[in-house]
C-alpha cells in the first residue's frame, strides 16, 4: 500500500510541475571593455528556441547548449541552458528582449533584462574566456610579455585655469605580439575643456619601456586642452577594439612560433585633472581671461586725413596662450568719428605646446568734422604663467587730425559701441504728428449672428454621426475571427518587412522570415501555431485549391528557414530566400479560395 501511495504522489508531482523558462545575466552593469554572459534556462525540454536580437552588443560566442539531469531521493530534475557571450558595441542602457521557446505545444518567453554599459574599467581576467575562445578563437586578455596596452600621458595634471595641457595616447605592443588593426569603441568627450586634436599623419613605431619591460609603441592621437573650469575635471577614456596576434605556444616545421589571432579591448582609463583657479590678488578690472605670454599693439593706418577719408585702427594681441578664448579691448573715440563694427582676424596655430600666433580687431573710422580728435589709450591685461602674476600693457594715446571739412560744435568722447547719429535741434520732434484722424470701428454682436446659431446646433447634428461610428466600431470589435485574421495579416507584413531590413544579419533575418510565413498561414488557413505541422499545412492548402508545386515550395522554404539559422550562408542566398518567400506568399494568396 505504501508503494502505491509514493507512486501516486510522484505522478501528481509530475502533473503539477511548473514549466520555467528564465534569462539570467552574469552582470547588470559593466564597462565598455568587459564581456557579458546571458543564459536562457528551462526546466523542461523544448523546441524552436528563438533568441533576442541583443541590440547594442556583438555575439562573440554561442549559443552553447548544456543539458543536466539529476536524481535526488528518487526525484528527477532537468535543466537545459542556451548560453551566449557578448561584448558591448557602445555605452548606454540596453534592454535584452524576450527569448521564446515551445514546450509541450505552448510558447514560453523569458523576462527582459536591463543592462547598463559604462566607461572602461581596469582589465581583469575574463571568467568566460575558455567558452568563447573555443567558439571564435578570441583572446580576451593578454598579460605579461604578450600584452597590448593603451596609455594616456598627461603633460600637467595640475594646471591653472586656461593653461594648456596635452594628452598623448600611445599603444604599447610587446615584442612577441603583433597588432593587425583597431577601431575606436569610445571617444573621449572633453567636457569643460577647449580641445584641439593634432593630426598624426603617419604612425611611427618606436622602442620603449612599459612597466620595466621592452615594448614597441606608436602615438595614436595628440590633443591640446585648455580647462575652462576650476576644480577636479575628468577626461573620459579612449577605448579601442584591437586585432592582435600572439604566440600559440606551438612551432612550425622550421621552429618558428605559430601565431594565434584574436581581439582585445584596451582602454586608456579615465584621467582626473585638478585645475587651479587664477589668483584673485592683483587681478585687474579689465581682465578678460587671457592666460599666457602676450604683446599688445594699437596701430592706426594714418593719423592725418581729409574730410570723407577713412582710417583703420588695428588692435593686435600676439604671443603664446589661449588666443581664441578671450576678447580684445574696444577703443573709445570721440562722437565726431563714426566707427563701424570690427573685422576679427585670427592667425593662430596649435602645436603640442599650445596656441601661438596673433588675433586682431580692425575698426574702420570715418571723421565727420574738421579738427583734432584724441583716441584714449587702451589697456590689455593677462595672467603670465612664467611669473604667476598679472601683467598690464597700455598703448599710447593716438591723435587724429582732420585737415578740412565742417567744424563740429564739440568733440564729446563716447564709447565706440554707440553708432547713433546726431539729430538737428529743429528736427528733434519732427516724427510726432500734430493732427489726429479718428475713424469709427464697426463691430457686430456675436449673440444672434450666424456663427452663434451654427455653434449652438452643431452638437445636435453630430449625434447621429457619433452613433453610426459607435455601431460600426461595436460590429468590428464583435468580429473576433475577422480581427484575428487582420492581426495575423498585419503581423505577416510586419515580419516580412523586418526580414527585409535584416538581410545583412543572417539569424534575425530567418527568424523574422519564419514568423512572417507562420502568420500568413494563420491569416489564410485560420489555424494556430500549436496546430501547425507540415502534413496538416499541406493538406489544408491543397484542399483550398492551391497549386501543389507552390505548396511544396512553401514547405521547403519553411524547412530552409529552420536550417539556415545554424548553417553557413551568403548574402546572395539570403536575398534569394527573401525573394522566393515574397513570390510564394503572393502566389498562394491568389490561389487560396
Amino acid at each position: 500500500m505504501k508503494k502505491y501511495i509514493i507512486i501516486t504522489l510522484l505522478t501528481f508531482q509530475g502533473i503539477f510541475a511548473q514549466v520555467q523558462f528564465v534569462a539570467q545575466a552574469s552582470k547588470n552593469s559593466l564597462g565598455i571593455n568587459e564581456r557579458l554572459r546571458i543564459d536562457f534556462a528551462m526546466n523542461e525540454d523544448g523546441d524552436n528556441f528563438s533568441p533576442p536580437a541583443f541590440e547594442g552588443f556583438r555575439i562573440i560566442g554561442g549559443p552553447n547548449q548544456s543539458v543536466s539531469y539529476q536524481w535526488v531521493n528518487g526525484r528527477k530534475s532537468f535543466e537545459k541552458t542556451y548560453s551566449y557571450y557578448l561584448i558591448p558595441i557602445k555605452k548606454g542602457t540596453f534592454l535584452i528582449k524576450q527569448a521564446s521557446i515551445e514546450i509541450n505545444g505552448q510558447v514560453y518567453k523569458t523576462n527582459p533584462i536591463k543592462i547598463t554599459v559604462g566607461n572602461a574599467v581596469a582589465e581583469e581576467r575574463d571568467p568566460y574566456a575558455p567558452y568563447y575562445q573555443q567558439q571564435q578563437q578570441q583572446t580576451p586578455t593578454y598579460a605579461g610579455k604578450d600584452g597590448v596596452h593603451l596609455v594616456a600621458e598627461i603633460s600637467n595634471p595640475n594646471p591653472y585655469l586656461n593653461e594648456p595641457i596635452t594628452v598623448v595616447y600611445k599603444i604599447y605592443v610587446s615584442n612577441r605580439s603583433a597588432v593587425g588593426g583597431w577601431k575606436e569603441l569610445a571617444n573621449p568627450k572633453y567636457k569643460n575643456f577647449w580641445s584641439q586634436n593634432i593630426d598624426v599623419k603617419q604612425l611611427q613605431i618606436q622602442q620603449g619601456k612599459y612597466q620595466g619591460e621592452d615594448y614597441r609603441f606608436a602615438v595614436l592621437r595628440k590633443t591640446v586642452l585648455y580647462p575652462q573650469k576650476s576644480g577636479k575635471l575628468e577626461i573620459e577614456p579612449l577605448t579601442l577594439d584591437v586585432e592582435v596576434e600572439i604566440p600559440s605556444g606551438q612551432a612550425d616545421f622550421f621552429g618558428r612560433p605559430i601565431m594565434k589571432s584574436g581581439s582585445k579591448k584596451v582602454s586608456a582609463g579615465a584621467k582626473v585633472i585638478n585645475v587651479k583657479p587664477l589668483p584673485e590678488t592683483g587681478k585687474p578690472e579689465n581682465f578678460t581671461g587671457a592666460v599666457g605670454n602676450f604683446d599688445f599693439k594699437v596701430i592706426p593706418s594714418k593719423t592725418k586725413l581729409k574730410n570723407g577719408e577713412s582710417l583703420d585702427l588695428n588692435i593686435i594681441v600676439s604671443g603664446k596662450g589661449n588666443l581664441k578664448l578671450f576678447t580684445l579691448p574696444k577703443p573709445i573715440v570721440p562722437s565726431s568719428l563714426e566707427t563701424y563694427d570690427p573685422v576679427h582676424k585670427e592667425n593662430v596655430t596649435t602645436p603640442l605646446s599650445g596656441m601661438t600666433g596673433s588675433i586682431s580687431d580692425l575698426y574702420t573710422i570715418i571723421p565727420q568734422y574738421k579738427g583734432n580728435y584724441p583716441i584714449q589709450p587702451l589697456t590689455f591685461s593677462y595672467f603670465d604663467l612664467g611669473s604667476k602674476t598679472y601683467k598690464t600693457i597700455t598703448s599710447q594715446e593716438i591723435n587724429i587730425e582732420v585737415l578740412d571739412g565742417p567744424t563740429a560744435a564739440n568733440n564729446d568722447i563716447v564709447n565706440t559701441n554707440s553708432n547713433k547719429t546726431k539729430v538737428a535741434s529743429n528736427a528733434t520732434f519732427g516724427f510726432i504728428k500734430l493732427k489726429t484722424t479718428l475713424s469709427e470701428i464697426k463691430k457686430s454682436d456675436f449673440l444672434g449672428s450666424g456663427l452663434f446659431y451654427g455653434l449652438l446646433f452643431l452638437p445636435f447634428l453630430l449625434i447621429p454621426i457619433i452613433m453610426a461610428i459607435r455601431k460600426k466600431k461595436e460590429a468590428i470589435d464583435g468580429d473576433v475571427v475577422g480581427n484575428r485574421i487582420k492581426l495575423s495579416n498585419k503581423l505577416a507584413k510586419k515580419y516580412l518587412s523586418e526580414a527585409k531590413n535584416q538581410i545583412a544579419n543572417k539569424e534575425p533575418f530567418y527568424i523574422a522570415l519564419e514568423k512572417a510565413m507562420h502568420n500568413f498561414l494563420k491569416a489564410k488557413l485560420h489555424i494556430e501555431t500549436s496546430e501547425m505541422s507540415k502534413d496538416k499545412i499541406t493538406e489544408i492548402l491543397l484542399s483550398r485549391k492551391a497549386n501543389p508545386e507552390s505548396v511544396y515550395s512553401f514547405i521547403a522554404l519553411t524547412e530552409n528557414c529552420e536550417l539556415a539559422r545554424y548553417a553557413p550562408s551568403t548574402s546572395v542566398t539570403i536575398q534569394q530566400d527573401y525573394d522566393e518567400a515574397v513570390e510564394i506568399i503572393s502566389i498562394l494568396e491568389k490561389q487560396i479560395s
Side-chain angles (χ1 to χ4, degrees):
M1 183 66 180
K2 184 177 180 180
K3 177 180 178 182
Y4 291 113
I5 293 174
I6 293 173
I7 293 174
T8 304
L9 291 174
L10 290 175
T11 302
F12 277 99
Q13 181 179 354
I15 293 172
F16 293 104
Q18 187 175 7
V19 176
Q20 294 182 353
F21 180 44
V22 296
Q24 297 176 337
S26 59
K27 56 183 73 176
N28 294 98
S29 180
L30 67 156
I32 187 72
N33 61 333
E34 292 187 290
R35 270 76 173 177
L36 177 69
R37 173 175 171 170
I38 300 290
D39 293 329
F40 301 98
M42 63 204 78
N43 64 349
E44 294 286 343
D45 196 7
D47 297 311
N48 300 325
F49 173 68
S50 178
F54 299 115
E55 295 178 1
F57 295 86
R58 188 177 74 201
I59 300 174
I60 59 173
N64 289 348
Q65 181 177 325
S66 62
V67 178
S68 66
Y69 293 88
Q70 288 185 346
W71 291 86
V72 179
N73 297 328
R75 181 180 178 183
K76 173 188 173 183
S77 64
F78 170 86
E79 184 177 70
K80 183 177 181 180
T81 305
Y82 291 94
S83 299
Y84 286 84
Y85 303 92
L86 315 173
I87 57 173
I89 301 173
K90 56 185 177 180
K91 294 189 292 184
T93 301
F94 304 97
L95 191 68
I96 304 295
K97 297 183 180 178
Q98 295 175 312
S100 64
I101 196 165
E102 187 176 338
I103 301 176
N104 298 328
Q106 188 172 354
V107 176
Y108 293 87
K109 294 184 178 181
T110 61
N111 50 301
I113 302 176
K114 186 177 180 181
I115 304 294
T116 301
V117 180
N119 290 332
V121 299
E123 296 178 4
E124 297 179 358
R125 183 67 186 173
D126 194 336
Y128 307 119
Y131 296 97
Y132 56 73
Q133 281 176 349
Q134 294 173 5
Q135 292 289 321
Q136 297 187 3
Q137 297 182 346
Q138 299 280 346
T139 307
T141 56
Y142 307 108
K145 296 181 180 179
D146 298 327
V148 177
H149 307 277
L150 185 64
V151 176
E153 296 182 354
I154 307 295
S155 63
N156 182 7
N158 192 27
Y160 277 103
L161 185 70
N162 267 311
E163 179 181 359
I165 63 173
T166 59
V167 184
V168 179
Y169 295 94
K170 296 180 180 179
I171 185 168
Y172 284 85
V173 182
S174 72
N175 292 325
R176 298 178 56 193
S177 305
V179 171
W182 59 79
K183 67 176 181 179
E184 295 183 358
L185 297 179
N187 285 319
K189 294 181 177 65
Y190 304 107
K191 186 179 180 182
N192 296 318
F193 289 92
W194 182 94
S195 62
Q196 175 70 54
N197 289 327
I198 299 175
D199 294 334
V200 179
K201 297 181 179 179
Q202 186 175 2
L203 293 180
Q204 295 182 355
I205 308 301
Q206 306 174 55
Q207 291 291 333
K209 294 280 188 181
Y210 179 79
Q211 294 183 350
E213 297 182 3
D214 291 331
Y215 270 77
R216 293 164 296 161
F217 73 90
V219 176
L220 303 183
R221 181 186 292 186
K222 300 176 182 178
T223 305
V224 179
L225 303 177
Y226 283 83
Q228 301 298 295
K229 181 181 177 182
S230 60
K232 291 185 177 181
L233 305 182
E234 182 177 294
I235 298 177
E236 295 182 0
L238 173 66
T239 305
L240 305 178
D241 189 1
V242 184
E243 297 176 5
V244 295
E245 293 183 357
I246 65 167
S248 62
Q250 301 176 349
D252 60 12
F253 178 78
F254 299 100
R256 294 172 300 190
I258 298 175
M259 304 300 286
K260 181 179 180 181
S261 299
S263 69
K264 180 187 180 183
K265 283 190 178 181
V266 292
S267 173
K271 302 294 181 182
V272 176
I273 307 298
N274 187 19
V275 182
K276 298 180 291 187
L278 297 177
E280 293 295 327
T281 304
K283 181 184 289 187
E285 292 184 0
N286 65 336
F287 178 72
T288 58
V291 177
N293 188 8
F294 302 103
D295 187 21
F296 176 64
K297 295 179 181 179
V298 180
I299 304 173
S301 60
K302 61 180 78 173
T303 56
K304 293 183 179 182
L305 63 160
K306 298 179 181 179
N307 180 38
E309 291 183 342
S310 64
L311 67 93
D312 293 331
L313 187 67
N314 203 4
I315 301 174
I316 307 170
V317 171
S318 59
K320 182 179 179 181
N322 59 335
L323 287 162
K324 296 183 179 181
L325 303 176
F326 59 84
T327 57
L328 294 173
K330 298 179 180 180
I332 299 176
V333 301
S335 60
S336 296
L337 300 180
E338 186 175 357
T339 307
Y340 292 88
D341 291 336
V343 176
H344 184 74
K345 294 182 180 179
E346 294 181 354
N347 183 20
V348 180
T349 58
T350 309
L352 200 58
S353 58
M355 285 186 272
T356 182
S358 64
I359 60 172
S360 64
D361 282 345
L362 185 66
Y363 291 86
T364 299
I365 300 175
I366 301 176
Q368 302 294 319
Y369 302 100
K370 178 182 177 180
N372 293 325
Y373 302 97
I375 297 178
Q376 294 181 0
L378 273 68
T379 57
F380 171 72
S381 299
Y382 65 95
F383 181 74
D384 183 20
L385 292 170
S387 62
K388 304 294 188 295
T389 59
Y390 292 97
K391 293 186 177 181
T392 300
I393 304 174
T394 304
S395 67
Q396 295 181 350
E397 181 178 279
I398 299 172
N399 186 59
I400 305 300
E401 183 180 356
V402 182
L403 301 176
D404 58 1
T407 303
N410 57 61
N411 290 329
D412 294 334
I413 297 176
V414 297
N415 192 288
T416 187
N417 288 337
S418 176
N419 55 6
K420 300 177 181 178
T421 58
K422 288 189 174 182
V423 181
S425 58
N426 57 356
T428 302
F429 301 99
F431 61 90
I432 299 178
K433 290 186 177 181
L434 301 178
K435 293 183 179 180
T436 302
T437 303
L438 302 176
S439 59
E440 182 181 358
I441 299 176
K442 294 182 179 180
K443 183 178 178 182
S444 57
D445 293 334
F446 172 71
L447 187 63
S449 64
L451 179 60
F452 169 78
Y453 287 110
L455 295 175
L456 181 63
F457 292 105
L458 181 61
F460 299 99
L461 297 175
L462 292 176
I463 290 175
I465 299 174
I466 295 172
M467 292 179 65
I469 294 173
R470 184 175 178 182
K471 286 184 179 180
K472 186 175 181 180
K473 185 178 182 304
E474 290 176 351
I476 293 172
D477 294 341
D479 186 7
V480 178
V481 176
N483 289 337
R484 188 178 301 169
I485 293 172
K486 288 179 183 178
L487 179 60
S488 298
N489 263 324
K490 184 178 179 181
L491 289 173
K493 292 178 181 178
K494 172 189 172 184
Y495 286 118
L496 198 59
S497 175
E498 184 178 340
K500 185 176 180 181
N501 295 333
Q502 295 288 346
I503 281 181
N505 303 313
K506 182 187 73 173
E507 192 168 344
F509 166 79
Y510 282 109
I511 292 172
L513 188 62
E514 189 175 0
K515 289 181 179 179
M517 298 173 72
H518 281 186
N519 281 284
F520 170 75
L521 292 176
K522 282 184 181 181
K524 296 302 178 184
L525 305 184
H526 307 162
I527 59 176
E528 297 299 323
T529 304
S530 59
E531 301 173 356
M532 289 186 186
S533 66
K534 295 168 187 173
D535 294 336
K536 186 169 183 179
I537 292 170
T538 304
E539 180 184 350
I540 297 176
L541 287 174
L542 291 175
S543 66
R544 299 284 293 273
K545 299 180 182 180
N547 190 317
E549 182 180 352
S550 301
V551 174
Y552 297 138
S553 297
F554 185 88
I555 298 298
L557 184 58
T558 305
E559 294 174 348
N560 187 39
C561 288
E562 296 174 358
L563 296 175
R565 281 192 288 169
Y566 307 101
S569 60
T570 64
S571 58
V572 176
T573 306
I574 294 174
Q575 184 65 48
Q576 288 176 352
D577 288 342
Y578 175 78
D579 295 338
E580 185 179 353
V582 173
E583 182 180 359
I584 292 173
I585 290 175
S586 177
I587 292 172
L588 287 176
E589 192 168 10
K590 295 177 182 177
Q591 292 177 353
I592 295 174
S593 56

